[in-house]
Amino acid sequence: MYYIHDPQTGVITAGELPYFLKSIRCEVVTFYQIERERRKEYLKIYKTRPEEAFDRYAHFDIDPFLYGTFFLELKVTDTGGLGSGSAFDYKRILSATSNDVTHVGPTASAQDTYDLIWSFLMKQNAQLASDTTAAAAGPATDERGCYRGTPADLIELESLAENKDPDRAAYKRVIVDASKPLAAWLRDNAILIAANNLTPAMPSESAEPAQMTYTFSIQVTGGVEAKYSLTSSRWTPAAVQASASAQQFSNLGIYINGPNAVLANGAKSGSAGYAAKTPPLGSKDNPIYTAPSPGGEKSQEFPGRAGAAGRRTGGPRTNGFIVAPVPVFPPTPTPTQ
């Protein structure tokens, strides 16, 4: 326990972490800003041209008043020991027709696992900061912003996301499928998830996107095995087999929250509702009203009446509510692979 293997070695090293974390931050903030701009353009035309609004400006509705989060997990597992191939067979000749063989096959193993989890909060109304440093400057001077120059509009943002002007990026791009930067890939996924909500349809048929979660894992394993064997008139044989291995595991998770992300998590445990609770009948917020009937007698009407018969009329859906607190779980290490 006094000697620990630093998880920041191997696939992602401690020296590379600051630049890697900046890359994740810049890719996600680029996506945030694109989605906000696409939403503004969508709202300008969706009432008159809904099909065009969706085709050109489909987006995931990111809540600017909520935090987003991402976490990085680095794990290393070291394994070593004597394998099952270790054996000591001692032979004694008792007579011309019989032998005595004593077999011993020792095994031993040890496994050490070290895990590091870092969690980060990001305001979902974050704005891209410009970096005026010259393009030829070293990486240490590129820490102030994600891009050289402030993006002016949605077209420029889309161009930066697609990395069409790579000289402006002040960080190393994260590439998905060896072809598309992470910010552009997130934008494309936002278009797909919006198809069940923004496409022209009856409101009762929509499925509201609430949260986007992405997890990326890399696992690398390396090891060595050695075996020694001795055969003689007494040993048949004496063999020692030893092995050692190291497993590097890197896990990146990104959470992007819409306005009802907490309701989506509460729905998993049956703790989320979609209509406001009615106060108790007869309370200050829900009084009982009476009015004279045509025959001169008083009749009771429904609380909060909306028509002649006291029935509620149709209207926009009310905001959701949480019935019980949603449990919060701390980050937990990924199970050993």
Side-chain angles (χ1 to χ4, degrees):
M1 293 298 293
Y2 292 97
Y3 299 93
I4 296 175
H5 186 170
D6 185 357
Q8 301 169 97
T9 56
V11 179
I12 298 180
T13 64
E16 186 182 2
L17 275 175
Y19 303 105
F20 175 73
L21 293 172
K22 179 186 179 182
S23 294
I24 298 300
R25 168 171 56 85
C26 290
E27 296 281 3
V28 173
V29 173
T30 301
F31 168 70
Y32 285 167
Q33 195 158 334
I34 286 176
E35 295 306 288
R36 289 196 299 268
E37 294 300 320
R38 290 176 73 92
R39 183 175 186 273
K40 290 178 184 178
E41 299 300 324
Y42 175 88
L43 293 177
K44 290 178 182 179
I45 62 174
Y46 85 101
K47 289 185 177 180
T48 56
R49 304 192 301 276
E51 292 84 0
E52 180 185 351
F54 176 78
D55 292 339
R56 295 180 59 186
Y57 304 117
H59 62 278
F60 176 73
D61 190 10
I62 297 176
D63 193 326
F65 302 105
L66 291 180
Y67 276 112
T69 180
F70 69 92
F71 71 88
L72 178 66
E73 178 186 8
L74 302 178
K75 175 187 286 189
V76 59
T77 302
D78 299 325
T79 305
L82 294 175
S84 58
S86 298
F88 299 91
D89 293 347
Y90 182 73
K91 177 180 178 182
R92 290 187 301 168
I93 300 176
L94 301 179
S95 66
T97 59
S98 62
N99 296 324
D100 177 61
V101 178
T102 301
H103 171 81
V104 178
T107 60
S109 65
Q111 178 174 296
D112 303 325
T113 301
Y114 309 95
D115 209 321
L116 175 154
I117 301 177
W118 288 350
S119 298
F120 297 87
L121 281 176
M122 294 184 63
K123 294 181 179 179
Q124 293 190 157
N125 63 351
Q127 299 281 341
L128 289 172
S130 63
D131 189 339
T132 57
T133 308
T141 60
D142 286 341
E143 292 300 321
R144 290 181 296 173
C146 296
Y147 300 97
R148 297 178 180 92
T150 305
D153 52 26
L154 178 58
I155 295 176
E156 190 175 355
L157 278 169
E158 300 270 9
S159 176
L160 292 175
E162 295 282 357
N163 203 28
K164 293 182 178 179
D165 191 1
D167 292 337
R168 290 186 60 183
Y171 65 98
K172 186 175 180 179
R173 301 303 300 263
V174 179
I175 306 299
V176 180
D177 292 337
S179 60
K180 183 168 291 189
L182 179 60
W185 182 81
L186 291 173
R187 177 207 59 194
D188 293 346
N189 278 275
I191 294 173
L192 295 177
I193 197 175
N196 277 307
N197 186 48
L198 298 184
T199 49
M202 295 296 293
S204 60
E205 298 175 1
S206 66
E208 181 179 354
Q211 189 177 53
M212 299 171 69
T213 304
Y214 301 98
T215 303
F216 308 96
S217 301
I218 299 174
Q219 181 174 305
V220 178
T221 302
V224 63
E225 182 178 273
K227 185 174 182 179
Y228 172 79
S229 179
L230 171 65
T231 302
S232 65
S233 59
R234 292 290 185 183
W235 298 98
T236 61
V240 178
Q241 179 180 347
S243 63
S245 66
Q247 181 185 86
Q248 303 284 336
F249 182 82
S250 304
N251 188 23
L252 170 69
I254 301 173
Y255 294 83
I256 301 167
N257 295 315
N260 288 324
V262 66
L263 296 178
N265 285 277
K268 298 174 185 177
S269 59
S271 302
Y274 62 86
K277 287 185 176 180
T278 303
L281 185 64
S283 65
K284 178 180 178 181
D285 296 326
N286 190 13
I288 299 176
Y289 295 97
T290 59
S293 64
E297 298 177 356
K298 292 184 178 182
S299 63
Q300 180 172 303
E301 296 188 357
F302 294 103
R305 69 175 190 174
R311 297 185 181 89
R312 295 174 183 264
T313 59
R317 188 180 63 183
T318 58
N319 293 330
F321 65 93
I322 292 295
V323 177
V326 179
V328 177
F329 301 99
T332 56
T334 302
T336 302
Q337 304 297 308

